[in-house]
Amino acid sequence: MFSGANVNLDPTRREGVEFRLSQTLGSAWRVQASAQHVLPTFRGGPNSGNDIPLVARNTFAARLAWSPGNGHRGDIGWQWADRQRYGNDFANTCSTKIPAFDTLDARYAWRQDKWEVALVGNNLTDKHYFSTAYGACRNGIYPDPGRLLQITARRDF
């Protein structure tokens, strides 16, 4: 029963494999890719053997980075996450899951001495998705942000 307080989960285990690839393309480009498959299960308590909620079994990512020098850097990346159980579905009884989703993000930055100015774009395709839902099956959904563009300035001290 939910009391509104934080409670520790019963013992869990996440076993799986992850593959990463990274390759330099010329002097200014680098491509990276990763794939992960995990079996997230409770290993004790009343939900022993059930999937852990809010953990995607499969994820993929690919990124292209550009770094020509003179303080310029940029990258663009795509991430995909598989379906996952709703946050309160510890017994794994909900017939639906949080849908799989993917996002496309990019960043360009210019650095001069101790200053950096950057333009960041998250969810550039403006996908409508959610990666978190804590209510009972099919409710308590927290939508992720749509397209987000930011300009930042930072100074190192």
Side-chain angles (χ1 to χ4, degrees):
M1 178 177 186
F2 180 71
S3 65
N6 289 329
V7 188
N8 289 334
L9 294 176
D10 288 320
T12 61
R13 176 175 287 131
R14 292 167 175 86
E15 294 179 315
V17 295
E18 182 174 2
F19 298 98
R20 289 182 182 241
L21 226 60
S22 182
Q23 178 67 49
T24 300
L25 306 171
S27 62
W29 296 91
R30 179 178 249 346
V31 65
Q32 298 172 307
S34 65
Q36 181 182 53
H37 175 73
V38 65
L39 299 174
T41 56
F42 286 101
R43 60 180 180 88
N47 298 307
S48 184
N50 290 350
D51 289 346
I52 302 169
L54 300 176
V55 179
R57 284 183 176 237
N58 300 295
T59 58
F60 298 99
R63 185 159 297 279
L64 178 64
W66 171 71
S67 184
N70 297 327
H72 297 274
R73 296 180 78 169
D75 66 75
I76 187 165
W78 169 78
Q79 297 78 226
W80 177 83
D82 202 356
R83 300 177 319 143
Q84 50 196 298
R85 295 204 172 272
Y86 282 78
N88 285 356
D89 189 17
F90 297 105
N92 296 177
T93 57
C94 183
S95 62
T96 61
K97 293 182 179 181
I98 294 172
F101 61 91
D102 66 322
T103 59
L104 181 68
D105 307 317
R107 182 177 193 270
Y108 167 77
W110 176 71
R111 185 170 188 80
Q112 179 69 40
D113 299 320
K114 294 185 176 190
W115 285 95
E116 180 185 77
V117 177
L119 173 62
V120 179
N122 293 324
N123 190 11
L124 291 173
T125 58
D126 200 24
K127 294 259 178 133
H128 298 280
Y129 71 99
F130 62 99
S131 60
T132 306
Y134 284 106
C137 187
R138 288 179 254 167
N139 66 27
I141 294 169
Y142 294 83
D144 282 68
R147 182 180 301 119
L148 175 67
L149 300 174
Q150 296 177 310
I151 298 175
T152 63
R154 179 177 88 186
R155 183 178 192 281
D156 294 336
F157 293 95

